[in-house]
Each structure stands twice: as C-alpha cells, then as structure tokens.
Amino acid sequence: MSKLIPAIRVKNFSFYYETQKIVEGVSMDIYQNQITAIIGSSGCGKSTFLKSLNRMNELEAEVNVEGRVEFYGQNIYERRVNLSRLRRQISMVFPKPNLFPMSVYDNVAYGVKLVGWHPKVELDAIVESAIKAAELWDELKNKLHKSALELSGGQQQRLCIARALAVKPKVLLMDEPCSGLDPIGSMQIENLIHNLRSELTIVIVTHNLQQVTRLSDFTAFFHSNENRITQMVEFGTTNKIFTNPLDSRTRDYIFARVG
Ligand SMILES: Nc1ncnc2c1ncn2[C@@H]1O[C@H](COP(=O)(O)OP(=O)(O)OP(=O)(O)O)[C@@H](O)[C@H]1O
C-alpha cells in the first residue's frame, strides 16, 4: 500500500444533540483516496457521526461538540469556517435520492450555480463530466431536460452522486447509499463507489457487511455502551477487522451478522 495521507483527522471528538451526548471520544484518520466504512448497531450514531464530518447536522438541530475534526489540517469546528465551502469540499449522499423537482441538467448544475456564474458552455461541460463520472451519461444524455423525478430509483441515486460530484468535492460522505435499491441498482452504485475512489476520499455508513468487505479499505466499528453513548471500539483495515478483530464486541457484531 502506498503512503497513506489523512484527509480528515478526528481527534478525541464528542458530539451532542443539545445536551444529549451521542458519540464520545472518537479518534480516527480518514485516508485520502481510500474507502472507510463505519459500521455498528442501528441507532448507535453512525449517521450522526458522518454528518458531523461536514457539519450537516447543524441544519437539523442544535449541536455541541468537543475535540477536533481536521480537514487537511484545519479544524472544521473553528468559528471562521465557511460552511457552504466546507459542504462543497465534503459533500454528502443520503439514503434516499433527494433530487429537486427540476430537470436532470438543472439538478446537477444547481450547486455549481450557487458558487458563481459560469458561461453556458462551461456549465454544460461540468454537468456532462459529473454525469459521466456517475456512470450515467449513456443512459441520460438524451434526457437532460426531462424531469429528474421520472428516473428509476437507482438512476436517481446515481444522479444524486453526480450532483454531489459536480461541485468537485474532495471527500464524499455516503449514508446507506444503496438502502432503497434492488440488487442491480446496489451493484451499480457499488461499482461506481469503487471507481470513484481513485479521485475521491469516501466514507460510507452501511449495515451491509458484505458490501463493507467488497468495497472498503478501512472499517471503524461503533458501539453504544450501557449509557447509550457511542464510542469507536475498533478501527483498522477491513481485512483485519473482518478476519481478526481485537475487541470481543467487534467480533460479536461481525460474526453474528456474517456468520
Ligand atoms: N436531529 C436530531 N436531533 C436529536 N437527536 C437525533 C437527531 N438525529 C438523530 N438523533 C438521535 O441520535 C441517535 C443516533 O442516531 P443516528 O441516526 O445517528 O444512528 P445510526 O447509527 O445512523 O442509526 P441507523 O443505523 O438506524 O440509521 C439516536 O438516538 C437518534 O434518535
């Protein structure tokens, strides 16, 4: 493996919704151009943690944090951080497609237009390149001006990825990106994630442990303790976590589910 460069360094990080502590004392590195999976029981705080990596949860609730999340050396929780810029650099894909009721083209162009004006020819090129990167161009090149909501579920989810890619993020956070898809739709997204890794750093939350072993380079196991506060129990290469976990709680979770 070539030298690993941390894109995000999480340092002794705790997260609260108002005063309710959800995640406690997480320290981990998320490496550039690697796929990192976050696994753990339902409700333990995986999505919360994922959204704390680009401060998305602040759109939903009042939050408090302790510790640091450094993105290429800068603590994203510093007061002077520009949140729109941060969320472009660390973009997010949600469990269900959340396209706008507008055309395929306008969905992909949306975030790009928010950043600033581009000549039409430039915008066309950005949209085409993002749709190609999401491996949808052949399917959609003749439907660019049709409503995005007419696409299949799998196409909609890949279009969400195209929309996220259009603003040229460095990191893509993916929360259960295949949850609503059939096996073929899931496999297309998995192939896409696999191919995107050469250009992007990816963090994925999923309950599908087979998917974790197929896709990810590193795995973090989160576990909620008796006080319903979640800690990261173990982090390592996916191979190590799935063949020889050190912690009995990781072992119990993985072997109970994989068999
Ligand atoms: N906006 C919010 N405000 C307050 N509490 C929240 C909010 N979102 C989630 N929570 C709480 O945070 C805890 C962790 O939820 P979260 O969705 O992060 O878990 P999860 O591990 O991703 O779950 P799942 O695997 O079922 O999707 C839960 O107790 C949940 O009720």
Side-chain angles (χ1 to χ4, degrees), residues 168-238:
K168 304 221 175 339
K170 289 194 162 56
V171 178
L172 195 56
L173 307 176
M174 308 187 93
D175 191 359
E176 290 272 0
C178 303
S179 68
L181 303 179
D182 68 13
I184 292 174
S186 297
M187 200 45 76
Q188 284 170 326
I189 299 269
E190 273 192 32
N191 290 338
L192 173 57
I193 295 171
H194 182 79
N195 296 338
L196 287 173
R197 183 234 259 140
S198 59
E199 326 222 333
L200 278 171
T201 302
I202 295 171
V203 188
I204 182 168
V205 164
T206 175
H207 285 284
N208 183 338
L209 297 188
Q210 311 285 356
Q211 186 175 69
V212 173
T213 58
R214 282 192 297 266
L215 265 185
S216 71
D217 305 291
F218 291 88
T219 298
F221 173 60
F222 281 41
H223 182 75
S224 176
N225 67 18
E226 59 286 359
N227 301 319
R228 300 191 51 79
I229 294 173
T230 290
Q231 295 171 325
M232 191 190 72
V233 165
E234 196 161 349
F235 174 82
T237 63
T238 297

Coordinates of all heavy atoms in Angstrom, one line a residue, residues 168-238:
K168 N -17.1 19.3 -7.3 CA -15.7 18.9 -7.2 C -15.3 18.7 -5.7 O -14.3 19.4 -5.2 CB -14.8 19.8 -7.9 CG -15.1 20.0 -9.4 CD -13.8 20.0 -10.2 CE -14.0 20.1 -11.7 NZ -15.3 19.6 -12.3
P169 N -16.0 17.9 -5.0 CA -15.6 17.7 -3.6 C -14.3 16.9 -3.5 O -13.9 16.2 -4.4 CB -16.7 16.8 -3.0 CG -17.3 16.1 -4.2 CD -17.1 17.0 -5.4
K170 N -13.7 17.0 -2.3 CA -12.5 16.1 -2.0 C -12.9 14.9 -1.3 O -12.3 13.8 -1.4 CB -11.5 16.9 -1.2 CG -10.8 18.1 -2.0 CD -9.6 18.5 -1.2 CE -8.6 19.3 -2.0 NZ -9.2 20.5 -2.7
V171 N -14.0 15.0 -0.5 CA -14.5 13.9 0.3 C -16.0 13.7 -0.1 O -16.7 14.7 -0.2 CB -14.3 14.1 1.8 CG1 -14.8 13.0 2.6 CG2 -12.8 14.4 2.1
L172 N -16.4 12.4 -0.2 CA -17.8 12.1 -0.3 C -18.3 11.3 0.9 O -17.7 10.2 1.1 CB -18.0 11.3 -1.6 CG -19.4 11.2 -2.2 CD1 -20.0 12.6 -2.4 CD2 -19.4 10.5 -3.5
L173 N -19.3 11.8 1.6 CA -19.9 11.1 2.7 C -21.1 10.4 2.2 O -22.0 11.0 1.6 CB -20.3 12.0 3.8 CG -19.2 13.0 4.3 CD1 -19.8 13.9 5.4 CD2 -18.0 12.2 4.9
M174 N -21.2 9.1 2.4 CA -22.3 8.3 1.8 C -23.1 7.6 3.0 O -22.5 6.7 3.6 CB -21.9 7.3 0.8 CG -21.0 8.0 -0.3 SD -20.6 6.9 -1.6 CE -21.9 7.3 -2.8
D175 N -24.3 7.9 3.2 CA -25.1 7.3 4.3 C -26.0 6.3 3.7 O -27.0 6.7 3.0 CB -25.9 8.4 5.0 CG -26.5 7.9 6.3 OD1 -26.3 6.8 6.6 OD2 -27.2 8.7 7.0
E176 N -25.7 5.0 3.8 CA -26.5 3.9 3.3 C -27.0 4.2 1.9 O -28.2 4.2 1.6 CB -27.8 3.8 4.2 CG -27.5 3.2 5.6 CD -27.6 1.7 5.6 OE1 -27.8 1.0 4.5 OE2 -27.3 1.1 6.7
P177 N -26.1 4.4 1.0 CA -26.5 4.9 -0.4 C -27.3 3.9 -1.2 O -27.9 4.2 -2.2 CB -25.1 5.2 -1.1 CG -24.1 4.3 -0.4 CD -24.6 4.2 1.1
C178 N -27.3 2.6 -0.8 CA -28.0 1.6 -1.5 C -29.2 1.1 -0.8 O -29.9 0.1 -1.2 CB -27.1 0.4 -1.8 SG -25.6 0.8 -2.6
S179 N -29.6 1.8 0.3 CA -30.7 1.2 1.1 C -32.0 1.0 0.4 O -32.7 0.0 0.7 CB -30.9 2.1 2.4 OG -31.4 3.3 2.0
G180 N -32.4 1.8 -0.5 CA -33.7 1.6 -1.2 C -33.6 0.9 -2.5 O -34.6 0.9 -3.2
L181 N -32.5 0.3 -2.8 CA -32.3 -0.2 -4.2 C -32.3 -1.7 -4.3 O -32.0 -2.4 -3.3 CB -30.9 0.3 -4.7 CG -30.8 1.8 -4.7 CD1 -29.4 2.2 -5.3 CD2 -31.9 2.5 -5.6
D182 N -32.7 -2.2 -5.5 CA -32.7 -3.6 -5.7 C -31.2 -4.1 -5.9 O -30.3 -3.2 -6.0 CB -33.6 -4.0 -6.9 CG -33.1 -3.5 -8.2 OD1 -31.9 -3.1 -8.3 OD2 -33.9 -3.5 -9.2
P183 N -30.9 -5.4 -6.0 CA -29.5 -5.8 -6.1 C -28.8 -5.2 -7.3 O -27.6 -4.9 -7.2 CB -29.7 -7.4 -6.3 CG -31.0 -7.7 -5.6 CD -31.9 -6.5 -5.8
I184 N -29.5 -5.1 -8.4 CA -28.8 -4.5 -9.6 C -28.4 -3.0 -9.4 O -27.3 -2.6 -9.6 CB -29.6 -4.7 -10.9 CG1 -29.7 -6.2 -11.2 CG2 -29.0 -3.9 -12.1 CD1 -30.6 -6.5 -12.4
G185 N -29.4 -2.3 -8.8 CA -29.2 -0.9 -8.5 C -28.0 -0.7 -7.5 O -27.2 0.1 -7.6
S186 N -28.0 -1.6 -6.5 CA -27.0 -1.6 -5.5 C -25.6 -1.9 -6.1 O -24.6 -1.2 -5.8 CB -27.2 -2.7 -4.4 OG -28.4 -2.4 -3.8
M187 N -25.6 -2.9 -7.0 CA -24.3 -3.2 -7.6 C -23.7 -2.1 -8.4 O -22.5 -1.8 -8.4 CB -24.5 -4.5 -8.4 CG -23.2 -5.3 -8.7 SD -22.1 -5.5 -7.2 CE -23.0 -6.8 -6.3
Q188 N -24.7 -1.4 -9.1 CA -24.2 -0.3 -10.0 C -23.6 0.8 -9.1 O -22.6 1.4 -9.4 CB -25.4 0.3 -10.8 CG -25.7 -0.6 -11.9 CD -27.0 -0.2 -12.6 OE1 -27.9 0.3 -11.9 NE2 -27.1 -0.3 -13.9
I189 N -24.2 1.1 -7.9 CA -23.7 2.1 -7.0 C -22.4 1.6 -6.4 O -21.4 2.4 -6.3 CB -24.7 2.4 -5.9 CG1 -26.0 3.0 -6.4 CG2 -24.1 3.3 -4.8 CD1 -26.1 4.4 -6.5
E190 N -22.3 0.4 -6.1 CA -21.0 -0.2 -5.5 C -19.9 0.0 -6.5 O -18.8 0.4 -6.2 CB -21.2 -1.7 -5.2 CG -21.7 -1.9 -3.8 CD -21.6 -3.3 -3.4 OE1 -20.6 -4.0 -3.8 OE2 -22.5 -3.8 -2.6
N191 N -20.2 -0.4 -7.8 CA -19.1 -0.3 -8.8 C -18.7 1.2 -9.0 O -17.5 1.5 -9.1 CB -19.7 -0.8 -10.2 CG -19.8 -2.3 -10.2 OD1 -19.2 -3.0 -9.3 ND2 -20.7 -2.8 -11.0
L192 N -19.7 2.1 -8.9 CA -19.4 3.5 -9.0 C -18.5 3.9 -7.9 O -17.5 4.6 -8.1 CB -20.7 4.3 -9.1 CG -20.7 5.8 -9.0 CD1 -19.8 6.3 -10.2 CD2 -22.1 6.4 -9.1
I193 N -18.9 3.6 -6.7 CA -18.1 4.0 -5.5 C -16.6 3.4 -5.7 O -15.7 4.2 -5.4 CB -18.7 3.4 -4.2 CG1 -20.1 4.0 -3.9 CG2 -17.8 3.6 -3.0 CD1 -20.9 3.4 -2.8
H194 N -16.5 2.2 -6.1 CA -15.2 1.6 -6.3 C -14.4 2.4 -7.3 O -13.2 2.7 -7.0 CB -15.4 0.2 -6.8 CG -14.1 -0.6 -7.0 ND1 -13.4 -1.1 -5.9 CD2 -13.4 -0.8 -8.1 CE1 -12.3 -1.6 -6.4 NE2 -12.3 -1.5 -7.7
N195 N -15.0 2.8 -8.4 CA -14.3 3.6 -9.4 C -14.0 5.0 -9.0 O -13.0 5.6 -9.4 CB -15.1 3.6 -10.7 CG -15.2 2.2 -11.3 OD1 -14.4 1.3 -10.9 ND2 -16.2 2.0 -12.1
L196 N -14.8 5.6 -8.1 CA -14.6 7.0 -7.7 C -13.4 7.1 -6.7 O -12.9 8.2 -6.5 CB -15.9 7.5 -7.0 CG -17.1 7.8 -7.9 CD1 -18.3 8.2 -7.0 CD2 -16.7 9.0 -8.8
R197 N -13.1 6.0 -6.1 CA -12.0 6.1 -5.1 C -10.7 6.6 -5.6 O -9.9 7.3 -4.8 CB -11.8 4.7 -4.5 CG -10.9 4.6 -3.4 CD -9.8 3.7 -3.6 NE -10.1 2.4 -2.9 CZ -9.8 1.3 -3.4 NH1 -9.4 1.1 -4.6 NH2 -10.0 0.2 -2.6
S198 N -10.4 6.5 -6.9 CA -9.1 7.0 -7.4 C -9.1 8.5 -7.4 O -8.1 9.1 -7.4 CB -8.9 6.5 -8.8 OG -9.9 6.9 -9.6
E199 N -10.3 9.2 -7.3 CA -10.3 10.6 -7.4 C -10.8 11.2 -6.0 O -10.6 12.4 -5.8 CB -11.4 11.1 -8.4 CG -11.4 10.2 -9.6 CD -11.5 11.0 -10.9 OE1 -12.0 12.1 -10.8 OE2 -11.1 10.5 -11.9
L200 N -11.4 10.4 -5.2 CA -12.0 11.0 -4.0 C -11.7 10.1 -2.8 O -11.3 9.0 -2.9 CB -13.5 10.8 -4.2 CG -14.3 11.8 -5.0 CD1 -15.7 11.3 -5.1 CD2 -14.4 13.2 -4.2
T201 N -11.9 10.8 -1.6 CA -11.9 10.0 -0.4 C -13.4 9.8 0.0 O -14.2 10.6 -0.1 CB -11.3 10.9 0.7 OG1 -10.0 11.3 0.3 CG2 -11.2 10.3 2.1
I202 N -13.7 8.5 0.4 CA -15.1 8.2 0.6 C -15.3 7.6 2.0 O -14.4 6.8 2.4 CB -15.5 7.1 -0.5 CG1 -15.5 7.8 -1.9 CG2 -16.9 6.6 -0.2 CD1 -15.7 6.9 -3.0
V203 N -16.3 8.1 2.7 CA -16.7 7.5 3.9 C -18.1 7.0 3.8 O -19.0 7.7 3.3 CB -16.7 8.5 5.1 CG1 -16.9 7.8 6.4 CG2 -15.4 9.3 5.1
I204 N -18.3 5.7 4.1 CA -19.7 5.1 3.8 C -20.2 4.5 5.1 O -19.5 3.8 5.9 CB -19.6 4.1 2.7 CG1 -21.0 3.5 2.4 CG2 -18.6 3.0 2.9 CD1 -21.0 2.7 1.1
V205 N -21.5 4.8 5.4 CA -22.2 4.1 6.5 C -23.0 3.1 5.9 O -23.8 3.4 5.0 CB -23.0 5.1 7.3 CG1 -24.0 4.4 8.2 CG2 -22.2 6.0 8.2
T206 N -22.9 1.8 6.3 CA -23.8 0.8 5.8 C -24.0 -0.3 6.8 O -23.1 -0.6 7.6 CB -23.3 0.2 4.5 OG1 -24.1 -0.8 4.1 CG2 -21.9 -0.2 4.6
H207 N -25.2 -0.9 6.7 CA -25.5 -2.1 7.5 C -25.1 -3.4 6.8 O -25.1 -4.5 7.3 CB -27.0 -2.2 7.9 CG -27.4 -1.2 8.9 ND1 -27.1 -1.4 10.2 CD2 -28.0 -0.1 8.8 CE1 -27.6 -0.4 10.9 NE2 -28.2 0.5 10.0
N208 N -24.8 -3.2 5.5 CA -24.5 -4.4 4.7 C -23.0 -4.8 4.8 O -22.1 -4.2 4.1 CB -24.9 -4.0 3.2 CG -24.7 -5.2 2.3 OD1 -23.9 -6.1 2.5 ND2 -25.4 -5.1 1.2
L209 N -22.8 -5.8 5.6 CA -21.4 -6.1 5.9 C -20.7 -6.8 4.7 O -19.4 -6.6 4.5 CB -21.3 -7.0 7.1 CG -21.7 -6.4 8.4 CD1 -21.4 -7.3 9.6 CD2 -21.2 -5.0 8.7
Q210 N -21.4 -7.4 3.8 CA -20.8 -8.0 2.6 C -20.3 -6.8 1.8 O -19.3 -6.9 1.2 CB -21.9 -8.8 1.8 CG -22.7 -9.8 2.6 CD -21.9 -11.0 2.9 OE1 -20.7 -11.1 2.5 NE2 -22.4 -11.9 3.6
Q211 N -21.1 -5.8 1.7 CA -20.8 -4.6 1.0 C -19.5 -4.0 1.5 O -18.6 -3.6 0.8 CB -21.9 -3.6 1.0 CG -21.7 -2.4 0.1 CD -22.9 -1.5 0.2 OE1 -23.3 -0.9 1.2 NE2 -23.6 -1.4 -0.9
V212 N -19.4 -3.9 2.9 CA -18.2 -3.4 3.5 C -17.0 -4.2 3.1 O -15.9 -3.6 2.7 CB -18.3 -3.4 5.0 CG1 -17.0 -3.0 5.7 CG2 -19.5 -2.5 5.5
T213 N -17.1 -5.5 3.1 CA -15.9 -6.3 2.7 C -15.6 -6.2 1.2 O -14.4 -6.2 0.8 CB -16.1 -7.8 3.1 OG1 -17.2 -8.3 2.4 CG2 -16.2 -8.0 4.6
R214 N -16.6 -6.0 0.4 CA -16.3 -5.8 -1.0 C -15.7 -4.5 -1.3 O -14.8 -4.4 -2.2 CB -17.6 -5.9 -1.9 CG -18.1 -7.4 -2.1 CD -19.3 -7.4 -3.1 NE -20.4 -6.6 -2.7 CZ -21.5 -7.1 -2.1 NH1 -21.6 -8.4 -1.8 NH2 -22.5 -6.3 -1.8
L215 N -16.1 -3.5 -0.6 CA -15.8 -2.1 -1.0 C -14.7 -1.4 -0.3 O -13.9 -0.7 -0.8 CB -17.0 -1.2 -0.8 CG -18.0 -1.0 -2.0 CD1 -19.0 0.0 -1.5 CD2 -17.3 -0.4 -3.2
S216 N -14.7 -1.6 1.1 CA -13.9 -0.6 1.8 C -12.5 -1.1 2.1 O -12.2 -2.3 2.2 CB -14.6 -0.3 3.2 OG -14.6 -1.4 4.0
D217 N -11.6 -0.1 2.3 CA -10.2 -0.4 2.7 C -10.1 -0.4 4.2 O -9.3 -1.2 4.8 CB -9.3 0.7 2.1 CG -9.5 0.9 0.7 OD1 -9.1 0.0 -0.1 OD2 -10.1 1.9 0.2
F218 N -10.8 0.5 4.9 CA -10.7 0.6 6.4 C -12.1 0.5 6.9 O -13.1 0.9 6.3 CB -10.1 1.9 6.8 CG -8.6 2.0 6.4 CD1 -8.2 2.5 5.2 CD2 -7.7 1.5 7.3 CE1 -6.9 2.5 4.8 CE2 -6.3 1.6 7.0 CZ -5.9 2.0 5.8
T219 N -12.2 0.0 8.2 CA -13.5 -0.1 8.8 C -13.4 0.4 10.3 O -12.4 0.1 11.0 CB -14.0 -1.6 8.9 OG1 -14.2 -2.0 7.5 CG2 -15.3 -1.7 9.6
A220 N -14.4 1.2 10.7 CA -14.5 1.7 12.1 C -15.7 1.0 12.6 O -16.8 1.1 12.0 CB -14.6 3.2 12.1
F221 N -15.6 0.4 13.8 CA -16.8 -0.2 14.4 C -17.2 0.7 15.6 O -16.4 0.9 16.5 CB -16.4 -1.6 14.9 CG -17.5 -2.2 15.7 CD1 -18.8 -2.4 15.2 CD2 -17.3 -2.6 17.1 CE1 -19.8 -3.0 16.0 CE2 -18.3 -3.2 17.8 CZ -19.6 -3.3 17.3
F222 N -18.4 1.1 15.6 CA -19.0 2.0 16.6 C -19.9 1.1 17.5 O -20.7 0.3 16.9 CB -19.8 3.1 16.0 CG -19.0 4.3 15.5 CD1 -17.8 4.1 14.8 CD2 -19.4 5.6 15.7 CE1 -17.0 5.2 14.3 CE2 -18.7 6.7 15.2 CZ -17.5 6.5 14.6
H223 N -19.9 1.4 18.8 CA -20.7 0.6 19.7 C -21.3 1.5 20.8 O -20.5 2.3 21.4 CB -19.8 -0.5 20.3 CG -20.6 -1.4 21.2 ND1 -21.4 -2.4 20.7 CD2 -20.6 -1.5 22.5 CE1 -22.0 -3.0 21.8 NE2 -21.4 -2.5 22.9
S224 N -22.6 1.3 21.1 CA -23.2 2.1 22.1 C -23.1 1.4 23.4 O -23.4 0.2 23.5 CB -24.7 2.2 21.6 OG -25.4 2.9 22.6
N225 N -22.6 2.1 24.5 CA -22.4 1.4 25.8 C -23.7 1.4 26.6 O -24.8 1.8 26.1 CB -21.3 2.1 26.5 CG -21.6 3.5 27.0 OD1 -22.7 3.9 27.0 ND2 -20.5 4.3 27.3
E226 N -23.6 1.0 27.8 CA -24.8 0.8 28.7 C -25.5 2.1 28.9 O -26.7 2.2 29.3 CB -24.5 0.0 30.0 CG -23.5 0.6 30.9 CD -22.1 0.5 30.4 OE1 -21.8 -0.1 29.4 OE2 -21.2 1.0 31.1
N227 N -24.8 3.3 28.8 CA -25.4 4.6 29.0 C -25.9 5.2 27.7 O -26.2 6.4 27.6 CB -24.4 5.5 29.6 CG -23.9 5.0 31.0 OD1 -24.8 4.5 31.7 ND2 -22.7 5.1 31.2
R228 N -26.0 4.3 26.6 CA -26.4 4.8 25.3 C -25.5 5.9 24.7 O -26.0 6.8 24.0 CB -27.9 5.1 25.3 CG -28.8 4.0 25.7 CD -30.3 4.3 25.4 NE -30.5 4.7 24.0 CZ -30.6 3.9 23.0 NH1 -30.4 2.6 23.1 NH2 -30.9 4.4 21.8
I229 N -24.2 5.8 25.1 CA -23.3 6.7 24.5 C -22.4 5.9 23.6 O -21.9 4.8 24.0 CB -22.5 7.5 25.6 CG1 -23.4 8.4 26.3 CG2 -21.3 8.3 24.9 CD1 -22.8 9.0 27.5
T230 N -22.1 6.4 22.4 CA -21.4 5.5 21.4 C -19.9 5.9 21.4 O -19.5 7.1 21.4 CB -22.0 5.7 20.0 OG1 -23.3 5.0 20.1 CG2 -21.2 5.0 19.0
Q231 N -19.1 4.8 21.4 CA -17.6 5.0 21.2 C -17.2 4.2 20.0 O -17.8 3.3 19.6 CB -16.9 4.5 22.4 CG -17.2 5.3 23.7 CD -16.7 4.7 24.9 OE1 -16.7 3.5 25.1 NE2 -16.4 5.6 25.9
M232 N -16.0 4.6 19.4 CA -15.5 3.8 18.4 C -14.6 2.7 19.1 O -13.6 3.1 19.7 CB -14.6 4.6 17.4 CG -14.2 3.8 16.2 SD -13.0 4.7 15.2 CE -11.6 4.5 16.3
V233 N -15.0 1.5 18.9 CA -14.4 0.4 19.7 C -13.1 0.0 18.9 O -12.1 -0.4 19.5 CB -15.4 -0.7 19.8 CG1 -14.7 -2.0 20.2 CG2 -16.5 -0.3 20.8
E234 N -13.2 0.0 17.6 CA -12.1 -0.6 16.8 C -12.0 0.0 15.5 O -13.0 0.3 14.8 CB -12.2 -2.1 16.7 CG -11.0 -2.8 16.3 CD -11.0 -4.3 16.7 OE1 -11.8 -4.8 17.4 OE2 -10.0 -5.0 16.2
F235 N -10.8 0.3 15.0 CA -10.6 0.8 13.7 C -9.4 0.1 13.1 O -8.4 -0.2 13.7 CB -10.2 2.3 13.7 CG -9.8 2.9 12.4 CD1 -10.8 3.3 11.5 CD2 -8.5 3.1 12.1 CE1 -10.5 3.8 10.3 CE2 -8.1 3.6 10.9 CZ -9.1 4.0 10.0
G236 N -9.5 -0.3 11.8 CA -8.3 -0.9 11.2 C -8.6 -1.2 9.7 O -9.7 -0.8 9.2
T237 N -7.7 -2.0 9.1 CA -8.0 -2.3 7.7 C -9.3 -3.3 7.7 O -9.5 -4.0 8.7 CB -6.9 -3.1 7.0 OG1 -6.7 -4.3 7.7 CG2 -5.6 -2.3 7.0
T238 N -10.0 -3.2 6.7 CA -11.3 -4.0 6.7 C -10.9 -5.5 6.8 O -11.6 -6.3 7.5 CB -12.0 -3.7 5.4 OG1 -12.4 -2.3 5.4 CG2 -13.3 -4.6 5.2

